[in-house]
Amino acid sequence: MGCLEHTWNFNRKQDGALVEVFEINYLFQVEGAEDVLNQEPISKEPHLRFEWVALNKLSELNVLPGPLKKLIPELSNSKFEGMWESTL
């Protein structure tokens, strides 16, 4: 569907160093069987949690990076394919 480039800073716990992180989020539209969509997606990383969310509920959640709250509904309602947005 599209792509979102994002960056943020944080202080590393081990030594307090300021770390700048660059991230690219690729957005895909998928279709799944109802039995799959009724199951909670399982993350392979303990610090991440996934869940299926209706588009009309997306704005109520703490979705990161923030521009995804705007980008996902825009892409799902559009007729064109492919979009790029950046927070840089």
Side-chain angles (χ1 to χ4, degrees), residues 24-50:
I24 296 179
N25 298 272
Y26 296 98
L27 305 171
F28 299 92
Q29 183 173 346
V30 298
E31 294 181 19
E34 187 150 339
D35 61 328
V36 172
L37 296 176
N38 287 329
Q39 297 176 25
E40 185 172 328
I42 299 170
S43 174
K44 294 187 179 197
E45 300 179 67
H47 64 284
L48 297 176
R49 188 180 121 234
F50 300 106

Side-chain angles (χ1 to χ4, degrees), residues 64-80:
L64 297 174
L68 287 173
K69 282 186 180 184
K70 174 184 149 217
L71 186 61
I72 292 171
E74 282 181 4
L75 287 170
S76 68
N77 294 324
S78 69
K79 301 253 187 263
F80 68 92

Side-chain angles (χ1 to χ4, degrees), residues 2-88:
C3 197
L4 171 64
E5 179 182 55
H6 183 64
T7 186
W8 74 93
N9 299 318
F10 73 94
N11 288 80
R12 191 168 42 209
K13 289 181 185 178
Q14 300 92 323
D15 58 8
L18 182 63
V19 176
E20 187 171 21
V21 178
F22 293 91
E23 173 181 89
I24 296 179
N25 298 272
Y26 296 98
L27 305 171
F28 299 92
Q29 183 173 346
V30 298
E31 294 181 19
E34 187 150 339
D35 61 328
V36 172
L37 296 176
N38 287 329
Q39 297 176 25
E40 185 172 328
I42 299 170
S43 174
K44 294 187 179 197
E45 300 179 67
H47 64 284
L48 297 176
R49 188 180 121 234
F50 300 106
E51 64 182 281
W52 301 115
V53 177
L55 281 177
N56 63 349
K57 300 289 184 186
L58 197 60
S59 64
E60 301 170 16
L61 301 173
N62 182 26
V63 177
L64 297 174
L68 287 173
K69 282 186 180 184
K70 174 184 149 217
L71 186 61
I72 292 171
E74 282 181 4
L75 287 170
S76 68
N77 294 324
S78 69
K79 301 253 187 263
F80 68 92
E81 293 186 21
M83 182 172 189
W84 173 268
E85 185 161 325
S86 178
T87 61
L88 301 181

